[in-house]
Structure formats: structure tokens, C-alpha cells
Amino acid sequence: MYTRKLRCMDALKELNIPKEDFVIYGSAPMVLRGLKEKNNDLDVLVRDSLWDKLSVKYPNNVNGDYIDINGVSFTHTDKNFLGDIDEVIKNSDIIDGYHILSILETKRWKEKVGGERHLADVKKIDEYLAKVERIYLKCICIKYNIMRRIRWVL
């Protein structure tokens, strides 16, 4: 299970909330791809319906636009940066059954949020994407050469 790498993941699991109603974002997508060593908390964007349930069940944990429960930070307002929650969830990566913000969307979000820490993360993501692209192109070249040899033999 890849999500075991994430700090506070056990706390999220214990809440037993529907996985289709939230997406994990922030530093977690980078941790899962080996771009960061650890996350300090777990940022979770939730649908309004889940936000309403959590705010009723945990009223003492509500802090403005966030509900903090054992290191898990729920919000429903970051959609200003991320876009429509339904689209965000639909386009997310699924890892161990959890919706995780894609690395491209993580980059976009960090660029919009700004700040030294997030912009340093953007640089790491750019380096990662360049590496992935080089590997992809190398695989295509290998496939092309194999196909050429097969045709020659046939």
C-alpha cells in the first residue's frame, strides 16, 4: 500500500468517510511519487455534503474554512484554486482506492498558491516530469527499434 507512506493516513482511514467524496492534495501527491520525504499533515478537499456532515459531527474542530481532525485538514473552499470538486475528483489519480490529486494538478495548485515553499515544490515537479518524459521517449524508441527488427525478420 503506497498510501502508508503518508503521515496521518491512519487517522483518515479511521474516520471511515466515503472515498468518492474527497481528494487528497497538498504535499501528499509528491510524497507518493518520491518527490518529498514526508508530509506534515494531510490536506483533503471534500464535497460540500461531506463538509456539512463533518462540521456537525466535529463542531469543536472547525476552524474557519478548515476542519482539523488528528492531523487531517479538511476544506471545501480550495476549489477556488483547484476548480470544480467533481472535476477534480474525476481527473484525480487513484492510489490504494483513494483519490489523489494528479501531479500536474498539484503543480498548478502550488503555482497558484505561490510562496517560496510551494514554488520550490513546483521546481521539483518540473524536474520529475522532465525525467518521466525522457523515460517515456526512451521506451518509444526501444519499441520502434524492436518493431523494425521484427519486420526485418518477417
Side-chain angles (χ1 to χ4, degrees):
M1 294 204 30
Y2 296 101
T3 54
R4 284 188 179 168
K5 293 179 180 181
L6 298 176
R7 186 174 174 272
C8 306
M9 196 63 193
D10 289 338
L12 178 62
K13 289 177 186 176
E14 287 174 12
L15 293 171
N16 200 29
I17 56 177
K19 293 178 183 176
E20 64 274 5
D21 286 340
F22 66 88
V23 63
I24 297 170
Y25 72 108
S27 294
M30 293 182 68
V31 172
L32 291 172
R33 288 164 180 85
L35 300 177
K36 282 190 113 160
E37 202 169 303
K38 64 178 182 166
N39 56 308
N40 295 322
D41 61 359
L42 200 60
D43 298 314
V44 181
L45 178 65
V46 301
R47 295 183 196 274
D48 289 337
S49 58
L50 181 56
W51 174 266
D52 294 341
K53 290 175 188 173
L54 290 171
S55 62
V56 168
K57 190 170 182 177
Y58 302 97
N60 294 334
N61 299 70
V62 177
N63 183 11
D65 291 330
Y66 295 92
I67 300 173
D68 296 310
I69 305 170
N70 298 325
V72 181
S73 183
F74 296 96
T75 188
H76 65 135
T77 60
D78 242 333
K79 50 191 164 192
N80 295 328
F81 288 117
L82 296 171
D84 176 64
I85 182 72
D86 294 323
E87 285 299 310
V88 172
I89 290 174
K90 178 181 156 190
N91 296 320
S92 65
D93 296 331
I94 298 178
I95 302 174
D96 295 337
Y98 291 92
H99 291 274
I100 310 291
L101 194 66
S102 74
I103 200 68
L104 289 173
E105 286 300 308
T106 298
K107 176 187 172 188
R108 191 172 69 83
W109 176 77
K110 287 182 172 283
E111 286 173 333
K112 285 186 177 182
V113 172
E116 187 176 325
R117 180 175 55 108
H118 290 299
L119 294 178
D121 287 345
V122 168
K123 185 176 178 185
K124 286 181 186 178
I125 292 171
D126 283 338
E127 291 167 358
Y128 170 80
L129 292 172
K131 182 179 177 182
V132 168
E133 184 178 20
R134 283 192 305 274
I135 292 169
Y136 176 74
L137 291 174
K138 189 173 184 178
C139 290
I140 288 174
C141 289
I142 291 169
K143 180 181 175 185
Y144 173 75
N145 286 331
I146 290 171
M147 295 304 292
R148 245 183 51 211
R149 289 180 185 157
I150 290 172
R151 284 190 202 123
W152 184 79
V153 172
L154 297 177

